């Protein structure tokens, strides 16, 4: 009965790196990735804020295809009496 509840004595979980470097190294890489992601998101937001609200219509090749693909303009509201 005691052999059923015996705990394994061999470590099979993969932490074979000497001096326990894997945990801190993984944390360091994760923190670097989070910092890089935050900086990229901030940069993207600042670039999107600099874009105009609407782009001017361009005449040229492919303009007809762009007009066909564009959604219809919203209807203007009539003045209320």
């Amino acid at each position: 009965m005691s052999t059923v509840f015996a705990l394994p004595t061999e470590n099979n979980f993969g932490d074979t790196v000497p001096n326990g470097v894997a945990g801190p190294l993984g944390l360091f890489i994760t923190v670097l990735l989070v910092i890089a992601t935050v900086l990229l998101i901030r940069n993207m937001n600042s670039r999107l804020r600099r874009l105009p609200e609407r782009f001017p219509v361009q005449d040229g090749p492919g303009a007809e295809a762009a007009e066909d693909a564009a959604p219809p303009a919203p209807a203007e509201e009539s003045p209320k009496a």
Side-chain angles (χ1 to χ4, degrees):
M1 186 77 167
S2 65
T3 59
V4 175
F5 295 109
L7 296 174
T9 57
E10 188 176 332
N11 183 2
N12 292 325
F13 294 108
D15 51 344
T16 57
V17 177
N19 299 330
V21 179
L25 185 62
L27 176 65
F28 179 70
I29 292 172
T30 303
V31 168
L32 281 179
L33 287 173
V34 167
I35 290 171
T37 303
V38 167
L39 291 175
L40 285 172
I41 290 171
R42 288 182 56 177
N43 187 342
M44 179 186 61
N45 284 335
S46 67
R47 288 181 179 270
L48 285 175
R49 284 189 191 110
R50 287 187 282 184
L51 289 176
E53 192 68 30
R54 294 197 183 269
F55 290 100
V57 177
Q58 295 180 353
D59 295 329
E64 294 174 4
E67 289 175 2
D68 293 340
E76 294 182 21
E77 294 181 24
S78 61
K80 297 181 181 179

